[in-house]
């Protein structure tokens, strides 16, 4: 395709992708409690309110706690499973892998409803622990896929060399395998963390009325009165995601993580 | 050590914890939901265990049928839009230098991670009267006065496509970046125009990947829950909204569970059908 046409096309996509973000950033700077774009007057008061008003601070804390712990839990489930599957290619490990991927493939409302009936039955409905475990299961796909990619990238000869030199499987894991898989663990954790921060329907179904997370808070404010704080919190979220993925892109191999075979060739 | 069969209980210890976690917190909830869909609903209360098909019979309503069809229609349409824009877009990205690729990928990942509520809010602003695009058009003299372009079907479509586009690109990225660059080059050496090369060689050799991407995006957009409520009118509400409404606001868990199970089967059948059609095409061309 001709270069100009290509550039026009890419520019259009860039415009559509960034358009909403630009408008939201503009709105977050309004001086008065109105949602104008371009903003009328400039101020950072809505960012200050986000960090000082309890009605926003509590959801921020809830969301961060849930994202931090649930992605850790997801990682702890994904690592042994991915390791086992890589080491022993047996059908039940594969079946378990498929199971780990399915919450991500089904429409989320189905998984969310399953969680709801489970937590009501167990009696933990409305507790933060329910949200944490549900998110861990819901997002286990991400570390599972990235860590599996990491295991696949390990050269078998290195492992064999270590074994020939007399290392037992514990030493091999600690000194050879783990360091090679670590960057994939970090990015898997980051993916799960960012998506958990932004997740709505599972958090809502499982404990929406008692444990208010940021997305729930934003949706509630959408229904019961707009405020520019919604825009400022969005900006913070986008920047946070861009920062995390930017770091992965800077220090890790983002194209390879996302499935490109030989990024160095290009 | 790699690829051998696990021997004894010790080797399996690694698997115990993930198996337990997924079993208790995914299979059990799922089974429970399936069971609840056959339970008897207590008006006003919750439900009592039993086995009846009443909840499934209650699905047979105009509202449910229309909502299901609408959900499938919106998902299909937005998946088609996303794949037809996303495919050439991903192709261009994979031909860029590594550094440029990373910049685009970071942008896409950032948009991908945005909550539905944030996407809905952003688009409602963009299409609103006070802060929207129409202000820009007024400013350029293209329009008399600014108007609100939401709620409505087009607004909903924009929102869903925005939500699904980064996902589409990520699904298409692996097969496209693995496409042998020699293929399009060979076609051009033999005299095909770049346009023709793209449509015959690139699209042709990746037909399966395109079908797979369409299916994944279709299922992904089927899950849209907040966008229909923010950007659409009540008649644009999807099945996800209906299910949540039944579960939370009408406290009719059996009905919600029956809807969810039915919804799952419909999406699985559609996915299977699309896969089969995609495979059939491949056999013909080979």
């Amino acid at each position: 395709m001709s270069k100009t046409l290509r550039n026009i096309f890419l520019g259009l996509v860039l415009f559509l992708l960034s358009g909403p973000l630009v408008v939201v950033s503009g709105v977050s700077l309004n001086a008065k409690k109105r949602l104008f774009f371009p903003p009328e007057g400039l101020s950072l008061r809505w960012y200050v309110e986000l960090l000082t008003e309890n009605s926003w601070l509590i959801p921020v804390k809830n969301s961060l706690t849930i994202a931090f712990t649930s992605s850790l839990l997801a990682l702890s489930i994904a690592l042994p499973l991915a390791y086992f599957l890589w080491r022993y290619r047996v059908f039940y490990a594969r079946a378990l892998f498929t199971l780990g991927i399915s919450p991500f493939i089904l429409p989320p409302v189905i998984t969310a409803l399953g969680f709801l009936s489970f937590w009501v039955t167990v009696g933990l409905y409305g507790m933060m622990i329910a949200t944490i475990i549900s998110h861990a299961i819901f997002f286990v796909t991400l570390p599972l896929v990235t860590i599996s990619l990491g295991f696949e990238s390990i050269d078998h000869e290195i492992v064999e060399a270590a074994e020939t030199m007399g290392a037992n499987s514990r030493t091999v894991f600690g000194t050879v395998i783990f360091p090679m898989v670590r960057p994939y663990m970090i990015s898997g954790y980051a993916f799960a963390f960012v998506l958990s921060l932004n997740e709505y329907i599972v958090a809502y179904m499982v404990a929406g009325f008692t444990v208010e997370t940021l997305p729930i808070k934003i949706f509630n404010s959408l229904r019961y009165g707009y405020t520019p704080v919604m825009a400022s919190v969005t900006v913070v979220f986008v920047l946070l995601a861009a920062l995390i993925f930017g770091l992965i892109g800077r220090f890790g191999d983002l194209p390879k993580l996302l499935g490109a075979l030989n990024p160095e060739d290009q | 050590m790699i690829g051998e069969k696990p021997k004894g209980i010790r080797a399996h210890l690694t698997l115990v914890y993930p198996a337990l976690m997924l079993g208790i917190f995914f299979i059990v909830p799922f089974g429970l939901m399936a069971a609840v869909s056959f339970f008897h609903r207590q008006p006003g209360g919750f439900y009592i265990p039993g086995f009846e098909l009443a909840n499934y019979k209650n699905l047979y309503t105009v509202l449910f049928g229309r909502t299901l069809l609408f959900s499938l229609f919106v998902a299909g349409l937005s998946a088609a839009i996303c794949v037809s824009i996303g495919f050439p877009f991903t192709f261009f990205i994979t031909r860029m230098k590594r550094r440029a690729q990373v910049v685009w990928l970071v942008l896409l990942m950032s948009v991908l991670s945005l909550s539905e509520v944030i996407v809905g809010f952003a688009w409602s602003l963009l299409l609103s009267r006070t802060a929207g695009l129409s202000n820009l058009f007024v400013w350029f003299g293209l329009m008399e006065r600014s108007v609100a372009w939401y709620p409505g079907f087009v607004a909903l479509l924009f929102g869903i496509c925005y939500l699904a586009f980064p996902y589409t690109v990520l699904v298409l990225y692996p097969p496209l970046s693995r496409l042998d660059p020699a293929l399009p080059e060979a076609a051009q050496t033999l005299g095909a125009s770049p346009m023709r090369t793209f449509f015959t060689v690139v699209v042709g050799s990746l037909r399966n990947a395109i079908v797979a991407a369409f299916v994944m995006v279709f299922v992904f957009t089927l899950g849209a829950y907040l966008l229909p409520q923010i950007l659409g009118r009540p008649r644009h509400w999807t099945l996800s909204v209906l299910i949540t409404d039944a579960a939370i606001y009408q406290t009719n868990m059996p009905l919600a569970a029956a809807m969810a199970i039915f919804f799952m089967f419909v999406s699985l059948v559609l996915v299977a059908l699309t896969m089969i059609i995609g495979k059939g095409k491949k056999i013909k061309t080979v």
Side-chain angles (χ1 to χ4, degrees), chain A residues 153-167:
Chain A
S153 74
I154 297 176
D155 193 345
H156 288 189
E157 280 170 16
I158 299 175
V159 179
E160 274 159 28
E163 283 176 334
T164 318
M165 308 287 243

Side-chain angles (χ1 to χ4, degrees), chain A residues 112-136:
Chain A
L113 200 69
F115 286 137
L116 171 64
S117 27
F118 180 77
W119 296 115
V120 167
T121 312
V122 176
L124 291 174
Y125 170 77
M127 308 274 211
M128 192 188 268
I129 184 79
T131 318
I132 291 173
I133 295 178
S134 304
H135 268 190

Side-chain angles (χ1 to χ4, degrees), chain A residues 1 17 76 87 92 198 204, chain B residues 3 12 17 109 113 162 194 249:
Chain A
M1 264 184 239
L17 277 181
S76 78
R87 213 183 136 173
Y92 44 86
N198 284 285
Y204 176 68
Chain B
H12 281 96
Y17 168 71
M109 297 299 294
S113 66
Y162 186 80
Y249 296 103

Side-chain angles (χ1 to χ4, degrees), chain A:
Chain A
M1 264 184 239
S2 79
K3 266 233 153 73
T4 350
L5 220 62
R6 188 197 84 139
N7 288 341
I8 291 173
F9 177 71
L10 286 176
L12 211 63
V13 173
L14 183 65
F15 174 76
L16 282 173
L17 277 181
S18 53
L21 305 180
V22 171
V23 172
V24 172
S25 326
V27 167
S28 75
L29 297 172
N30 266 308
K32 286 189 192 135
K33 194 169 180 169
R34 300 293 294 273
L35 301 172
F36 279 129
F37 186 83
E40 297 196 336
L42 287 178
S43 87
L44 288 175
R45 58 182 282 213
W46 308 113
Y47 290 88
V48 175
E49 191 172 322
L50 174 66
L51 296 172
T52 49
E53 284 283 321
N54 255 338
S55 64
W56 285 96
L57 257 189
I58 290 169
V60 168
K61 274 185 197 153
N62 282 343
S63 278
L64 286 175
T65 315
I66 290 166
F68 183 78
T69 45
S70 70
S71 14
L72 212 56
L73 199 58
L75 194 65
S76 78
I77 300 169
L79 181 64
L81 180 52
Y83 172 70
F84 193 89
L85 184 63
W86 168 71
R87 213 183 136 173
Y88 315 107
R89 304 224 157 255
V90 282
F91 72 94
Y92 44 86
R94 244 178 236 287
L96 218 51
F97 182 83
T98 313
L99 193 66
I101 291 190
S102 39
F104 214 67
I105 293 174
L106 290 172
V109 69
I110 296 172
T111 316
L113 200 69
F115 286 137
L116 171 64
S117 27
F118 180 77
W119 296 115
V120 167
T121 312
V122 176
L124 291 174
Y125 170 77
M127 308 274 211
M128 192 188 268
I129 184 79
T131 318
I132 291 173
I133 295 178
S134 304
H135 268 190
I137 300 291
F138 191 59
F139 290 122
V140 77
T141 311
L142 299 155
L144 196 56
V145 168
T146 51
I147 296 174
S148 296
L149 271 175
F151 277 122
E152 273 164 29
S153 74
I154 297 176
D155 193 345
H156 288 189
E157 280 170 16
I158 299 175
V159 179
E160 274 159 28
E163 283 176 334
T164 318
M165 308 287 243
N168 59 19
S169 53
R170 183 182 293 254
T171 318
V172 174
F173 186 84
T175 57
V176 179
I177 299 174
F178 186 74
M180 292 180 87
V181 177
R182 194 166 36 206
Y184 294 89
M185 287 170 59
I186 295 172
S187 38
Y189 180 85
F191 283 127
F193 181 86
V194 172
L195 287 180
S196 164
L197 270 188
N198 284 285
E199 203 281 333
Y200 180 89
I201 190 160
V202 170
Y204 176 68
M205 283 256 211
V206 163
F209 296 109
T210 42
V211 183
E212 199 177 32
T213 63
L214 260 181
I216 297 176
K217 171 71 184 166
I218 300 174
F219 189 55
N220 287 343
S221 344
L222 259 179
R223 280 195 283 195
Y224 311 113
Y226 282 70
T227 147
V229 183
M230 293 155 60
S232 62
V233 73
T234 304
V235 172
V236 173
F237 265 51
V238 176
L239 289 181
L240 192 65
L243 177 76
I244 289 174
F245 293 122
L247 283 176
I248 295 179
R250 176 78 184 74
F251 296 106
D253 194 341
L254 197 59
K256 193 175 173 188
L257 260 179
L258 298 177
L261 207 55
N262 283 320
E264 280 77 19
D265 297 349
Q266 287 163 6

Side-chain angles (χ1 to χ4, degrees), chain B residues 119-229:
Chain B
V119 171
F121 170 60
W123 277 96
S124 70
L125 278 181
L126 201 66
L127 300 174
S128 72
R129 196 175 53 77
T130 52
L133 273 179
S134 59
N135 284 325
L136 210 63
F137 290 154
V138 173
W139 197 68
F140 280 121
L142 292 170
M143 280 166 63
E144 289 270 309
R145 68 176 102 87
S146 57
V147 288
W149 283 326
Y150 94 102
F153 180 71
V154 176
L156 175 63
L157 207 58
F158 265 103
I160 292 183
C161 286
Y162 186 80
L163 193 74
F165 184 74
Y167 184 75
T168 317
V169 176
L170 291 190
V171 171
L172 286 168
Y173 185 72
L176 267 169
S177 64
R178 288 171 192 192
L179 178 76
D180 189 354
L183 272 176
E185 272 165 30
Q188 292 200 25
T189 318
L190 292 172
S193 70
M195 223 36 143
R196 187 155 171 214
T197 307
F198 180 78
F199 282 108
T200 54
V201 177
V202 180
V203 174
S205 57
L206 290 172
R207 187 177 285 142
N208 279 348
I210 295 176
V211 174
F214 177 82
V215 172
M216 305 256 311
V217 178
F218 175 77
V219 176
F220 181 81
T221 49
L222 263 185
Y225 165 70
L226 290 171
L227 288 175
Q229 296 179 64

